[in-house]
Amino acid sequence: MAKEGALTVGKKVILNFPKHTWDKPVVYTLHSKFNLIFNILKAQITPNEEGLMILELVGEEEKVREGIEFLREIGVGVRFLAADIEKDEEECVHCGACASVCPSGALHIDRETYKVIFDKEKCVGCELCVGACMYKAIKIGL
Amino acid sequence: MAYQVNKTIEEINEKIKKGQVVVVTAEEMIDIVEEYGPVEAAKRVDVVTTGTFAPMCSSGAFLNLGHSKPRMKMEDVYLNGVPCYGGLAAVDIYIGATSLPKDDPRNKVYPGQFKYGGGHVIEDLIAGKDVYLVAYGYGTDCYPLTKLETYININIINEAIMFNPRNAYQNYNCAVNLSDRLIYTYMGILKPKLGNATYCSAAQLSPLLNDPYFKTIGIGTRIFLGGGIGYVVWHGTQHTTDVPRGEKGVVKKPAGTIAVMGDMKKMTRRYVRGVSIVGYGVSLAVGIGIPVPILNEEMAWHTSVRDDEIWTQVVDYGYDYPNREGRVIAEVNYAQLKSGEIEIMGKKVPTYPLSSYYMAKEIAETLKRWISEGKFYLTKPVELIPSSGFMCKGLEIRR
């Protein structure tokens, strides 16, 4: 349980599992050792092959940091998802083509202003919007 | 028919000159007519401004590149690798919005990305960027040069005239996909089995929906085109008039169109954008705004049209559209489409626009400001756009 007063954060991360890590109970450790709540957004793990997993990690800020440190120590590649998708406000014309394919509602139309809003917190990093945007206003960062 | 209010273009222009003109957007006109009625509204309001911003494929530009030394009759012409039409006089070319470089992989790796094409060249020219010109000719006694490579930009070439044979569609289909696979269309990515619906009209702000019988719009109508000044020069290709109409004479399917023209040197990139439509191709998004003079109460009534009075047809792009089946799945209005969800065949389907209402509003507001500030005067068309007797025909393949 989170300590009272401790800041709880949620981070979406893309994990790249090298071959030697596929059989380790990595996600279990994140929970048991660092008390992190995990939500698997996407997973592609095959024995003896490189794997990919997109996780949402929720927990105390310090524990999330430690958990990510643990992942890097055992050789798992970690990238933050939230920083990945960026909407260039200068290029965006506020149509709605991106919202049309967004599965999480992170990209949506504000019915008052008719602007397309990007709510980074809700982004699952599927990248469908990148191709759907006709104006190349959505980019993948990093 | 005798009207209670009778105004002329000349009278309105006189008011613009004196700074007394009353201009509102088509959105604002709705409430004015609702509150005061069409007669009183026509007395109060002189001009209603409209706007639209969306990909419009039938767009392009005539360019005169200037004569090289020695001279050249350019036949094969490329701008940033994009083929232009050179079958005109020596250095006149036309670049079409959907033109693609020869080496673009198109849909060979499906769905194609279509990163750069004619629409982007037009955008780059308007942005003032240098564009790489390659031209080939066969050589003549008067035009000896056969190959040329150089850079041009909009400031050094003689003319850059946007000429769009079909723009500002009066209404458009709402697209869905009844098939069981994801499809990539000019109406965006359509998810299988009614996974989403897309539409493309500014509806209550849309120019040709605010003058559905072309009682004021015609050849010579001065308009906002791509951030500059343009003119309506003809009815657009595929212009159609004889279709079912609903309240206030508004067409219930894609119908009227206009051909427009304007000086690209005065345009701004914000309102002229190349677009890359995944799996489909490239195109050009164009911003257009047309002022509708409120000559009488009838025009006040037409311009008060509201989203919920504008209906359109829902068409399946999975099978029906590609096979030119005329089937209409359902009829929906734009208030429903803008709510974000419609019901089709008992299923709730999320709806998304491809036409930017945000930009349409900005264009209508800009045009309103231009007129109010005396920077833009109305013109009296030399001939109105036809409002009957036009049907868009199909092509029957002869064997």
Side-chain angles (χ1 to χ4, degrees), chain B residues 23-30 47-49 205 361 364-365 368:
Chain B
V23 193
V24 300
T25 67
E27 208 182 65
E28 293 163 336
M29 190 62 170
I30 295 166
V47 185
V48 168
T49 60
L205 264 182
K361 218 169 149 172
E365 291 285 352
K368 174 181 155 180

Side-chain angles (χ1 to χ4, degrees), chain B residues 49-56 58-59 162 164 166-169 202 205-208 217 221-228 230-232 257-261 267 270-272 284-291 355-356 359-365 367 370:
Chain B
T49 60
T50 62
T52 185
F53 182 89
M56 304 187 195
S58 200
S59 299
M162 181 173 283
N164 305 342
R166 181 172 72 256
N167 275 182
Y169 240 119
L205 264 182
S206 179
L208 304 193
I217 299 170
T221 295
R222 186 179 288 136
I223 61 170
F224 172 111
L225 179 60
Y231 294 88
V232 175
T257 65
I258 47 172
V260 299
M261 214 166 161
M267 294 182 190
R270 182 166 178 81
Y271 304 107
V272 186
L284 187 72
V286 185
I288 292 179
I290 300 186
S355 170
S356 169
M359 292 289 279
K361 218 169 149 172
E362 184 177 302
I363 289 164
E365 291 285 352
L367 186 54
W370 285 358

